Amino acid sequence: MANRNFSTVQALNREVKIIAGSFSIAASGGAATKLQGRGYSVAKSATGVYTITLEDKYVALLSACATVKAATAVDLVAQIKSHDVSSAKTVVIDLNAVATPTEPSAVTEIHFALFLRNSSVA
Amino acid sequence: MAARNFSRVQALNHSLKLIAGSFSVDATANSCTKLQGAGFTPVHLGEGEYAVDLDDRYPALLAGIATCKKSTAGDLITQMKSHNVSADVASSLEVQDLTYTAQEAGRDGDGISIEYVAADPAEGILNLTADITLTKAAVGSANNTRTFTLQVLAAAANPTDTVLVAFTGTAAAIVCTVTPNDGTNNAATPVALTTAELRELISTGAVVGKTITLTDASSLRALQTATGGGATALADGGEGDGVVATFADGTGIAAGAVVSVTSEAISVIIEDGVTPASAIKTAIEASEAASRLVSVAVSGTAADAQDAESETSLAGGANCGVVFRNLATATPTDADCEVHFQLFIRNTTAT
């Protein structure tokens, strides 16, 4: 593993927490399987729709972003559909093909990063 | 620069490292230029594909996020193609029963190529009114410089209607002596041999419609086949007499393998359909130049005969890092733009 000096990451917001992870989507049936990351689980909630459920509640979601990983170039885009991190603890991601939630025809991964505020101080 | 209080960012994962950066894409020059960030180098791999080579190795990538920045609106999205943050991956290639792996891991290994070239038998030409081309039955360069000499004696009183043909000498210097029939014992009907009939005799050991008395104690006739020839009869002091064919252009080793390396191109001359995989492996390993480029392992059956194979490059080599692609209508596309990315990396084996 890397053995060098890394610097502390800081933010203007207080208590910024990162939940970063990745999950795979099966080619048949579209089931989601967690690959990396802690503090969340993931499941398919509808065709082309995947719900990340956080283990904890947070005050607010500062930012969420997601990228598709596919071995072969494919018309698929990950889009944040909705989020509720303070009550339902969910972030919902659509996997869209031509603006329509779609199950991939080959194993596909979604990589995401959530920047969460864990303080009531905005 | 900003002068205010910032707070530490935390994560559930231990030892989370963030490599964030950006690079520009020059669609004309097919190049990438690092704009911001540390610990990586962007590389233009091909149309719409960009590697982010990491300076260090990490146990796992938690997530890789990328976004395209373009000054004009356009159909361009950034997608991840592959990632491997823990080690360089060596290029490899399976050719029939052998698998070649680049000695040095990384994408540069994809530049190494392998080809199996069919060995050629040596050929020689008997310069006649209509030439006869002699082709050695066995492939290999060992027959180069060997000779085949044609001698035509004066017609003699051969028994009945026979024409005498004798193969003498050695494999390195074959002498074919033809004695036509003067007809003394054949009702005054002489029998000669045309050059086309000589070609037939060399290839088959007989001539349809003629009686040949063949002497070939050392089995030299079958060491070559023949093509060509014509209607002109062989004659003492004339057609064919004293003509010598010198064999040339034979390559390889019968049932063996000869390896040559030019830059990163490995060429193996084999006897097509005969040379076993084990012989190729041995030849590759005996070649210092080839061994410096690749290792070779039997992935099939060592004794299986191998066929000629066109030049094919090793594939699958990758540097430690992440490969992104820019897509326009689902097709990797180069466009002048910037790619902004964040890699969330775990730098501990604890998940």
Side-chain angles (χ1 to χ4, degrees), chain A residues 1-2 4 6 8-22 36-39 65-77 109 111-113 115, chain B residues 4-14 17 55-66 77-83 325 327 330 332 342 344 346-347 349 351:
Chain A
M1 65 188 72
R4 56 193 292 179
F6 288 85
T8 301
V9 176
Q10 296 180 312
L12 268 179
N13 282 92
R14 293 179 185 177
E15 292 291 325
V16 173
K17 312 296 183 189
I18 295 175
I19 301 285
S22 53
Q36 294 287 346
R38 297 181 64 183
C65 43
T67 293
V68 168
K69 176 191 170 189
T72 303
V74 61
D75 175 26
L76 286 173
V77 177
E109 295 179 14
H111 290 232
F112 68 90
F115 297 83
Chain B
R4 54 196 296 184
N5 289 329
F6 286 83
S7 303
R8 290 183 62 179
V9 175
Q10 295 180 308
L12 272 177
N13 277 93
H14 293 296
K17 308 301 181 189
D55 294 348
D56 300 277
R57 309 291 178 260
Y58 302 88
L61 175 73
L62 296 182
I65 310 294
I77 63 167
T78 303
Q79 206 171 64
M80 185 192 298
K81 179 182 181 184
S82 62
H83 68 81
R325 64 164 79 92
L327 298 179
Q342 305 93 46
F344 298 88
R346 175 163 52 77
N347 199 30
T349 54
T351 58

Side-chain angles (χ1 to χ4, degrees), chain B residues 276-351:
Chain B
S278 57
I280 297 175
K281 180 175 185 291
T282 299
I284 290 283
E285 290 172 342
S287 165
E288 187 179 334
S291 297
R292 203 179 300 128
L293 293 173
V294 297
S295 62
V296 57
V298 176
S299 50
T301 304
D304 277 1
Q306 307 296 284
D307 299 322
E309 189 88 30
S310 59
E311 182 177 5
T312 307
S313 294
L314 275 65
N319 288 19
C320 180
V322 178
V323 176
F324 291 110
R325 64 164 79 92
N326 277 348
L327 298 179
T329 319
T331 302
T333 303
D334 271 333
D336 290 337
C337 67
E338 293 178 12
V339 175
H340 292 235
F341 68 90
Q342 305 93 46
L343 305 180
F344 298 88
I345 299 174
R346 175 163 52 77
N347 199 30
T348 172
T349 54
T351 58

